[in-house]
Amino acid sequence: VNFKGKQIEITFDEYIRTDALSQELVISPPFEERPEFRLRKKTLIIKWDEELKDSTTYTFSFGESIKDLNEGNILKNFEFVFSTGSYIDSLAVIGTVVKAENLQPHSERVFMMLYENHDDSAPLLEVPDFVGVADDMGNFLINNVRPGRYRLFALQDQNRNYKYDVPDETIGFLDSLINLSPDLFSTLLAASPDSGFRPAFDSLGTLFQAPFQPTGQPSGRENLIADSIFAADRDTVDFSMADSFILQE
């Protein structure tokens, strides 16, 4: 907490190698420029130049980029989290994204993007406030989000700039806003098992009307949130999207 630097160092208990780190690493909130990476013995050093936002929790998600040097075992879903404020935000959005034409996961990476700007044009004009990426099964987790009201977009981002600015990119969005608040915890506990969102069809995407029947939770999810700092008077719950989210070509 109260981090003000422009470099982080992560030391592992054995020698590692990083495969496709520049492609695998997802930083939320996103940086304007990609940071620099280098290895020094067992330490991964990440350096950047831009100023960090005040009172903001940053999450570095490494995907499958970190492997041990000798056997090549993957350290899946490893995250490094710090905050420029006095505590770490611990709310999260979890769900599943599929293609509208066949209800199957997209063959390419899909980025899940949360915007505090509720305009439909937000992905055209600005980068998201928080971002995550769907896995091969379409499961996604956006971790360490602060309380607020967000619009959720899904984007198959071909040029990796977190904007919908390429004609062939696939996009979808949730028609209603997501309200992330610790106060939702009691409401979620009291909800009936088959309660969920109503469907809404539009030109870009829709929400799939069915209770969420997961084929598998995102691997390592428990580990991803285990190190968060919880406080009774702040964002202490993990908020889950309880339905599938559909991409329209």
Side-chain angles (χ1 to χ4, degrees):
V1 294
N2 296 317
F3 182 83
K4 305 300 180 184
K6 293 187 176 182
Q7 176 176 301
I8 57 175
E9 298 185 3
I10 307 172
T11 301
F12 298 88
D13 59 2
E14 57 185 317
Y15 289 97
I16 64 165
R17 70 172 190 260
T18 56
D19 292 349
L21 181 57
S22 60
Q23 288 77 38
E24 285 282 320
L25 178 64
V26 176
I27 303 173
S28 177
F31 284 179
E32 293 183 6
E33 302 290 338
R34 300 296 292 174
E36 300 177 2
F37 318 101
R38 65 187 177 95
L39 279 173
R40 185 181 62 204
K41 297 183 178 180
K42 298 180 181 180
T43 300
L44 173 62
I45 301 171
I46 303 177
K47 184 178 181 180
W48 59 89
D49 293 326
E50 64 188 81
E51 297 294 330
L52 300 175
K53 300 177 182 179
D54 292 334
S55 301
T56 300
T57 299
Y58 283 85
T59 304
F60 288 64
S61 302
F62 291 86
E64 298 186 355
S65 63
I66 297 179
K67 303 178 181 180
D68 74 80
L69 183 61
N70 295 324
E71 300 180 2
N73 296 320
I74 300 173
L75 181 60
K76 288 188 177 182
N77 296 322
F78 172 68
E79 288 189 342
F80 185 90
V81 181
F82 64 79
S83 175
T84 58
S86 59
Y87 60 91
I88 291 178
D89 294 308
S90 57
L91 292 175
V93 177
I94 183 173
T96 300
V97 59
V98 295
K99 295 174 67 175
E101 62 188 39
N102 55 15
L103 303 185
Q104 296 299 311
H106 207 287
S107 58
E108 300 182 44
R109 293 185 96 193
V110 175
F111 291 90
M112 308 302 299
M113 308 187 302
L114 288 175
Y115 288 85
E116 292 180 313
N117 180 352
H118 301 160
D119 294 340
D120 293 340
S121 61
L124 296 168
L125 304 174
E126 58 190 75
V127 298
D129 294 284
F130 299 95
V131 64
V133 63
D135 63 16
D136 293 340
M137 298 298 296
N139 297 317
F140 67 88
L141 172 65
I142 308 175
N143 220 351
N144 302 112
V145 181
R146 63 173 169 259
R149 290 171 60 84
Y150 298 93
R151 188 169 294 280
L152 175 64
F153 289 85
L155 179 65
Q156 186 265 309
D157 189 9
Q158 294 182 0
N159 57 359
R160 191 61 188 277
N161 67 347
Y162 301 116
K163 290 184 180 180
Y164 180 42
D165 58 356
V166 176
D168 293 334
E169 290 180 337
T170 303
I171 192 170
F173 64 86
L174 196 63
D175 73 304
S176 56
L177 299 180
I178 297 175
N179 182 21
L180 289 181
S181 168
D183 296 334
L184 287 175
F185 186 63
S186 58
T187 303
L188 292 172
L189 285 179
S192 61
D194 59 349
S195 64
F197 297 91
R198 296 184 179 276
F201 294 87
D202 48 59
S203 60
L204 292 179
T206 181
L207 189 66
F208 185 51
Q209 186 185 29
F212 183 40
Q213 300 293 335
T215 55
Q217 295 290 345
S219 58
R221 176 173 175 268
E222 294 81 7
N223 292 333
L224 293 182
I225 64 173
D227 294 331
S228 297
I229 295 177
F230 296 96
D233 60 342
R234 292 197 291 266
D235 46 346
T236 60
V237 299
D238 176 27
F239 180 73
S240 298
M241 292 295 296
D243 291 271
S244 295
F245 186 77
I246 297 181
L247 279 178
Q248 178 72 48
E249 295 283 1

